[in-house]
Amino acid sequence: MQGMRAIERGLGMNRARVRFAPSPTGYLHVGGARTVLFNWLFARHHGGTFVLRIEDTDVERSTEASVDAIIDSIKWLGLDWDEGPTVGGRYGPYFQSERLDIYREYADRLLSKGYAYPCYCTPDELEEARRAALARGESVGYPGRCRHLSAEERRAFEAEGRKPALRFKVDDGETVVDDLIRGEVRFENRFIDDFVILKSDGYPTYNFAAVVDDTLMEISHIIRGDEHLPNTPKQIMMYRALGFDLPRFAHVSMILGPDRTKLSKRHGATSIGQYRDEGYLPDALVNYLVLLGWAYDATSQIFSREELVEKFSLEKVSKNPAVFDPEKLLWMNGHYLRATDLKTLAALAVEHLARAGLATASPDGREMARIEKIVGLLRERMHTVKDVVTLGDFFFTEKVDYDAEAFEKFLTRDYVPETLREIRRRLAAIDAFTAADVEKVLRGYAAEAGRKAGDIIHPVRVAVTGRAASPGIFEVLELLGRDVTCSRLDAAVARLATGS
RNA sequence: GGCCCCGUCGUCUAGCGGCCCAGGACACCGCCCUCUCAAGGCGGUGACACGGAUUCGAAUUCCGUCGGGGCCA
């Protein structure tokens, strides 16, 4: 309850305003997605505003394609923003590259008030100083040369044509970050170098631009990754120097790979787009992600969007970093798959079938109905939508490829050829070709032949599906239809006669 | 190297001084169901990093050690 009050106090007179501020230098990854999610949930829970801001001041690495990819991923997850790209808002522009004048203005303010100074050191000089300090076994921070330049020295550098960067003057003392998740974190200022706020090319550094924007956009709560915690004291110093009110901070722990280092590409799939392509459901991903660092109670695992919005709170966000577990995500996805209605699922399945060349991208009504039935049979054993391809390919191909092991195990028994021939004959003769009728034929024949039902069923399964495992065979045969069933039984018999 | 964060089953976590010889979920194992594979049901294996201190009592508080990670360079 104590924590709750702290958050409400932070809201001040206004509603919660939070933001997600990605650099468009790649795709939205799992860690970023969870940060968006937490921000979104916080905003929705408090009836506040969620802002999307693009931090594209790194001209070299920022791309428009990245902006699009990130936006697509956020949308795909079913999350929306109230201000930002594509929707606008009163606090724009929402691209930092369009706010350069603003940063310069505030940088000037810092300069004129004596909180910042121009630094003429070149990268080479800095590098040299660093190496020298290292050699002497001293601390390798900025040596502070330009902090006390005289007017002449400055003029001399200017005359050389040097373009200065702007550094923030860090005073002695201590800066305390009052974090909603971590509590008070204290930093001694003497360990913090005078840092650059405006680069010599006129572009702001991350820390500076974030402070200016978060203030101008009236962000009340900064919910972001843990890796920014060490940046926070610098930002706080700037807030104070600029006379800005502090927002509340909440630093969420990072998501790690199995080796406990920051999750990255080498750990496998990390981009949200990739999960979409592989047949994951947005709801499943959201539900899995929210559980990485947040728990509502001792037992709940599955949460609908509505429940999440209602129940989410920063108090219950944990401090420990979390290892991303693809296995649990897979389980979660399977769970959501089974809860999705067949029409929706079939539509999704079509995409994957089409991509695999097993179906047209826009099947007609009859084919769609068939796919729906197939998905209905397959769904219990699917973990991703894409599994419809690997599990159900035999529904869509002309012929089947026999799994070698299954063939060996079930079709090479000596009673099999005769059995398949007889089953085929009987199936061709029955009136209706429903699962119930098919079952009667198979079980009936087993009884007559004095065999266990399994002894008949397994060879038939392999002959018709090519594999040892499938959905219930009677339903499968019904869906395949009489013609396909019979021709596949024929094919198996023929294969057994020529082969082996 | 300096600073900061973190440390409960393999993994995600519940736990905020006694309800805990630690609960749930995934994974794993077994049983049931069953035409196979799943799904589902039931059961099981499995953790408080270590050492001190505080306390009648510590997973929970404090200190140290160790381990992991991040940031700056």
Side-chain angles (χ1 to χ4, degrees):
Chain A
M1 283 298 100
Q2 190 64 32
M4 195 63 210
R5 242 174 274 131
I7 287 179
E8 297 300 340
R9 204 184 310 130
L11 291 178
M13 299 298 285
N14 297 312
R15 294 294 191 98
R17 284 180 61 85
V18 295
R19 48 56 161 195
F20 177 61
S23 295
T25 56
Y27 302 103
L28 181 68
H29 53 86
V30 167
R34 195 197 49 175
T35 303
V36 188
L37 218 210
F38 281 6
N39 274 285
W40 182 85
L41 287 172
F42 185 83
R44 295 294 170 257
H45 177 83
H46 290 283
T49 304
F50 179 40
V51 178
L52 181 61
R53 181 175 76 223
I54 306 296
E55 307 212 324
D56 56 349
T57 57
D58 185 342
V59 204
E60 296 294 309
R61 304 201 301 138
S62 297
T63 67
E64 220 162 293
S66 278
V67 174
D68 293 343
I70 290 168
I71 283 179
D72 284 351
S73 289
I74 297 174
K75 281 186 183 165
W76 178 75
L77 286 169
L79 308 177
D80 56 350
W81 54 99
D82 308 298
E83 294 174 25
T86 72
V87 298
R90 299 189 294 129
Y91 298 83
Y94 293 92
F95 286 80
Q96 287 192 327
S97 59
E98 296 169 24
R99 302 171 62 83
L100 265 20
D101 292 344
I102 300 174
Y103 307 128
R104 202 153 308 155
E105 181 192 330
Y106 283 94
D108 283 343
R109 196 188 288 188
L110 250 16
L111 184 64
S112 65
K113 281 183 169 172
Y115 288 111
Y117 59 89
C119 170
Y120 297 90
C121 298
T122 65
D124 286 347
E125 287 169 346
L126 257 16
E127 180 57 37
E128 197 180 316
R130 188 178 309 138
R131 231 174 284 145
L134 212 56
R136 274 177 272 123
E138 290 172 11
S139 165
V140 292
Y142 175 66
R145 178 182 76 170
C146 297
R147 186 168 181 164
H148 306 291
L149 252 31
S150 67
E152 281 116 289
E153 288 171 312
R154 231 166 252 180
R155 246 175 279 129
F157 279 135
E158 296 278 355
E160 280 181 40
R162 293 198 188 199
K163 289 225 178 64
L166 219 53
R167 276 184 195 275
F168 187 87
K169 216 182 267 181
V170 177
D171 285 329
D172 291 341
E174 188 185 53
T175 304
V176 180
V177 180
D178 186 10
D179 193 276
L180 257 11
I181 294 171
R182 283 158 211 279
E184 288 191 352
V185 184
R186 323 185 84 86
F187 294 85
E188 285 186 63
N189 292 179
R190 64 190 171 94
F191 293 119
I192 301 173
D193 294 326
D194 287 356
F195 52 91
V196 173
I197 59 174
L198 217 57
K199 293 180 268 186
S200 56
D201 62 9
Y203 279 89
T205 56
Y206 160 77
N207 282 315
F208 178 58
V211 166
V212 172
D213 288 346
D214 287 332
T215 300
L216 261 29
M217 294 180 183
E218 295 183 32
I219 301 303
S220 63
H221 293 72
I222 296 181
I223 304 167
R224 73 199 346 173
D226 204 3
E227 65 269 28
H228 293 296
L229 188 52
N231 281 324
T232 310
K234 297 181 189 174
Q235 296 181 190
I236 289 177
M237 290 179 216
M238 289 188 277
Y239 275 102
R240 297 212 168 110
L242 255 6
F244 292 160
D245 288 337
L246 285 182
R248 301 305 313 259
F249 292 98
H251 287 93
V252 183
S253 283
M254 299 193 312
I255 297 178
L256 275 23
D259 61 354
R260 300 210 145 265
T261 62
K262 198 172 179 172
L263 191 68
S264 69
K265 291 229 169 64
R266 67 198 164 78
H267 296 302
T270 56
S271 93
I272 297 304
Q274 199 169 343
Y275 282 101
R276 178 191 52 205
D277 293 345
E278 287 181 5
Y280 286 80
L281 265 18
D283 284 345
L285 205 48
V286 161
N287 197 152
Y288 175 71
L289 250 22
V290 81
L291 253 26
L292 244 35
W294 178 83
Y296 178 66
D297 56 26
T299 59
S300 307
Q301 304 285 326
I302 305 293
F303 298 90
S304 67
R305 288 299 158 116
E306 296 70 31
E307 286 173 316
L308 249 23
V309 168
E310 183 205 323
K311 290 173 171 163
F312 183 80
S313 73
L314 289 176
E315 281 71 44
K316 287 179 172 288
V317 171
S318 91
K319 300 196 236 196
N320 353 357
V323 172
F324 186 80
D325 180 10
E327 291 278 353
K328 186 160 181 177
L329 205 210
L330 214 49
W331 165 80
M332 182 84 68
N333 203 55
H335 175 91
Y336 273 88
L337 235 37
R338 267 161 253 129
T340 305
D341 68 281
L342 286 180
K343 243 191 179 48
T344 309
L345 207 51
L348 256 20
V350 165
E351 290 176 33
H352 289 90
L353 289 168
R355 213 175 303 161
L358 294 175
T360 68
S362 44
D364 59 25
R366 230 181 104 246
E367 177 63 3
M368 207 56 219
R370 192 175 97 95
I371 291 173
E372 229 177 282
K373 283 188 191 148
I374 291 168
V375 169
L377 286 189
L378 254 22
R379 153 160 81 171
E380 252 159 39
R381 35 226 111 196
M382 288 164 53
H383 288 104
T384 67
V385 182
K386 201 177 183 177
D387 284 341
V388 73
V389 172
T390 50
L391 260 26
D393 57 350
F394 61 86
F395 280 115
F396 302 95
T397 54
E398 183 69 22
K399 291 183 174 143
V400 294
D401 290 327
Y402 300 108
D403 173 78
E405 219 174 293
F407 188 93
E408 185 63 30
K409 184 166 180 199
F410 293 111
L411 292 186
T412 56
R413 301 175 185 174
D414 51 9
Y415 69 88
V416 166
E418 185 203 330
T419 301
L420 294 186
R421 235 174 285 136
E422 182 57 18
I423 293 290
R424 192 236 122 104
R425 198 184 62 73
R426 295 187 183 197
L427 286 178
I430 54 178
D431 292 337
F433 201 77
T434 67
D437 297 307
V438 170
E439 177 164 9
K440 239 175 274 169
V441 169
L442 294 201
R443 289 199 192 278
Y445 177 76
E448 281 176 36
R451 295 192 177 279
K452 285 185 288 181
D455 291 338
I456 307 302
I457 286 170
H458 297 316
V460 169
R461 168 177 289 115
V462 177
V464 167
T465 70
R467 58 189 78 203
S470 80
I473 193 64
F474 314 124
E475 288 77 13
V476 167
L477 294 193
E478 175 183 330
L479 258 182
L480 246 17
R482 193 197 310 256
D483 293 349
V484 173
T485 299
C486 288
S487 76
R488 284 188 188 174
L489 288 172
D490 287 340
V493 170
R495 165 82 179 261
L496 286 170
T498 53
S500 66

